[in-house]
Amino acid sequence: MTTAMGAALRRIQLGTALSAFGNGFTVPFTFIYVSQVRGLGAGTAGVVLATFAVAALFVLPFTGRVIDTRGPVPVAVLGTVLAAAGSLGLGLSGSEPVVIAAAGALGAGIAVVQPALATMIVWCSTPATRSRAFATNFFLSNLGLGLGGLLGGLLVDTAHPASFIRLFAIEAAMFLVLGAVVATARMPRAPHVPHGDGALLTAGDQPSRGWRLLVRDRAMVMVCVLGFVMFFACYGQFESGLSAFAVEVTRISPATLGIALAANTAVIVLAQFVVLRLVEKRRRSRVIALVGLIWTVAWLVAGASGVVHGSHAMAVAAIISTYALFGLGEAMLAPTVAPLVADLAPARMVGQYNSAFALVKQLALALGPAAGGLMAGMGAYSAYIVMLVLFSLGISVTALRMGRRLTPTQDSPYRATRIIAQSGPRPAPEAERIPA
């Protein structure tokens, strides 16, 4: 990696950490703010949270094409401005329509920023360094989010609405800092992706053609299926089904649930670089398959916590272990999935591939809590655990099948780089290119 690329990457990661830090000030408190502090009720608060997901679903189908035609920097800057306006609007507005509109702006802005930043990381890395770049970004995001949530909890006071305005103002300022950092980063002229043609889509290209190419890429389709299942079976359950199971079945207190969530973040922060050293030299498909097995164990441990009748301490330890195991899986996925999406993309479609994966992820994050909440409301906790055990096993099976469709460079770039370095460059096989 050149010095210029490394400097740009460090700026992007610093900006990402700062924006996550700002985001941490508001994420844990948005529901309480809307429902209680503004007095708009739980129904409106639920609509606000749903609006975040809906807004993302509206903008993501178009974001990738704009990134590939205009470049990721202006798209990321626009997204940060939109997110900042939405965050500040949430803090200052007091009526239901304005709060919902502000939530839409915030959700759309964040949705635009994420694939743009992912594309910038791809541009500032090579296949050999990409896993570490994404792992570092994930580590800094979680660290910033955790610190922001901790400080936000110290500043917030439900009896004083001004304290919430302060939180949203901090979040808005951090988004603008991210925009300034991104705008001043010196980006390389072309993305570093294997076997790409180095060209961006032109304004005259048909967007539907890009989507047809993506759908015809069977490996990318399988990655998208994996992404949906992973986010549905893990991230999509944190705030709905799993938390309801922990409180209603395991009988832990909300405070203990907070400790479990903290354990999840702590595992990610403490284990990320240890995990990175273990997985970056392994086949990506097998790492993802292992994550499926770890999450299978996590759901079985969660289920066991609901049937441990002799010791409440053991039940509590089981739930905390469940969240910790999810964190271990997340740490393994950070240097694996996002770099794989980048390495599957032709150079002219990196933004569209990143946006497609973000869209699938957002769908899972919208449907996961709804499904978990519905089953919790019905009291179908046994069926809930069984469903998610099967989903987790499905991750392992699908990952191994996907591995048969990946080239050596895509599945294990570290090994492929070593082989190329030892034997010299050779022409890429035709199977490694997406048909035109």
Side-chain angles (χ1 to χ4, degrees):
M1 183 184 298
T2 66
T3 303
M5 287 172 59
L9 180 60
R10 286 190 293 272
R11 290 178 67 86
I12 294 166
Q13 291 171 336
L14 174 63
T16 301
L18 290 174
S19 67
F21 175 71
N23 205 219
F25 276 86
T26 64
V27 167
F29 312 111
T30 301
F31 188 92
I32 296 173
Y33 168 73
V34 175
S35 62
Q36 298 181 16
V37 178
R38 287 301 183 185
L40 298 176
T44 301
V47 171
V48 165
L49 295 179
T51 301
F52 289 129
V54 172
L57 296 179
F58 271 108
V59 299
L60 282 172
F62 313 101
T63 300
R65 176 161 50 95
V66 179
I67 291 172
D68 289 328
T69 55
R70 302 298 182 185
V73 173
V75 176
V77 172
L78 177 63
T80 59
V81 172
L82 184 60
S87 182
L88 196 59
L90 272 173
L92 297 176
S93 58
S95 64
E96 182 176 342
V98 179
V99 166
I100 294 173
L106 178 58
I110 293 174
V112 167
V113 167
Q114 289 177 344
L117 288 177
T119 303
M120 293 177 72
I121 293 173
V122 173
W123 282 34
C124 293
S125 61
T126 64
T129 63
R130 195 155 292 146
S131 292
R132 182 166 293 273
F134 276 100
T136 302
N137 199 65
F138 185 70
F139 164 80
L140 291 173
S141 294
N142 278 276
L143 182 61
L145 193 65
L147 292 175
L150 179 63
L151 292 178
L154 298 175
L155 295 175
V156 74
D157 185 352
T158 55
H160 297 87
S163 66
F164 285 86
I165 296 175
R166 190 182 306 121
L167 297 188
F168 284 104
I170 291 172
E171 181 184 45
M174 291 298 100
F175 277 123
L176 294 178
V177 169
L178 172 61
V181 168
V182 166
T184 55
R186 296 182 60 183
M187 298 294 296
R189 293 181 178 273
H192 291 253
V193 294
H195 315 309
D197 58 14
L200 294 175
L201 290 174
T202 64
D205 284 339
Q206 294 294 325
S208 60
R209 181 175 180 270
W211 282 105
R212 285 200 303 270
L213 288 175
L214 191 151
V215 172
R216 289 168 58 189
D217 185 349
R218 297 294 182 83
M220 180 58 186
V221 170
M222 296 187 79
V223 170
C224 287
V225 170
L226 275 170
F228 179 87
V229 176
M230 287 187 294
F231 280 88
F232 182 96
C234 178
Y235 304 87
Q237 305 306 321
F238 278 1
E239 297 177 2
S240 59
L242 181 55
S243 58
F245 181 90
V247 173
E248 297 294 331
V249 180
T250 311
R251 303 294 182 184
I252 71 171
S253 67
T256 305
L257 183 60
I259 294 173
L261 287 166
N264 174 266
T265 302
V267 168
I268 293 172
V269 171
L270 296 175
Q272 182 64 83
F273 292 105
V274 176
V275 169
L276 174 64
R277 286 196 294 270
L278 295 175
V279 305
E280 67 180 339
K281 299 178 183 180
R282 305 296 192 274
R283 293 184 180 179
R284 289 166 170 169
S285 58
R286 294 183 180 179
V287 172
I288 298 171
L290 181 57
V291 170
L293 293 179
I294 291 173
W295 285 356
T296 298
V297 173
W299 282 115
L300 290 173
V301 171
S305 74
V307 297
V308 175
H309 302 297
S311 173
H312 183 65
M314 288 182 61
V316 170
I319 282 294
I320 294 175
S321 298
T322 296
Y323 279 89
L325 287 170
F326 282 133
L328 177 61
E330 292 173 68
M332 294 170 66
L333 291 177
T336 306
V337 177
L340 176 58
V341 172
D343 290 346
L344 286 173
R348 68 187 187 280
M349 291 180 62
V350 174
Q352 198 155 356
Y353 270 55
N354 280 324
S355 293
F357 188 77
L359 177 62
V360 169
K361 177 174 70 175
Q362 199 62 45
L363 280 170
L365 292 177
L367 295 177
L374 179 63
M375 297 186 76
M378 296 168 58
Y381 289 111
S382 296
Y384 174 74
I385 295 295
V386 170
M387 176 187 73
L388 291 166
V389 166
L390 294 176
F391 268 54
S392 300
L393 290 173
I395 291 171
S396 299
V397 173
T398 305
L400 293 176
R401 292 185 61 188
M402 177 195 68
R404 295 197 290 267
R405 292 187 175 275
L406 300 177
T407 66
T409 301
Q410 293 165 346
D411 200 19
S412 185
Y414 180 87
R415 292 184 180 183
T417 302
R418 291 282 302 273
I419 292 172
I420 291 173
Q422 293 172 1
S423 61
R426 57 194 177 96
E430 194 65 27
E432 295 186 4
R433 301 187 62 89
I434 295 178

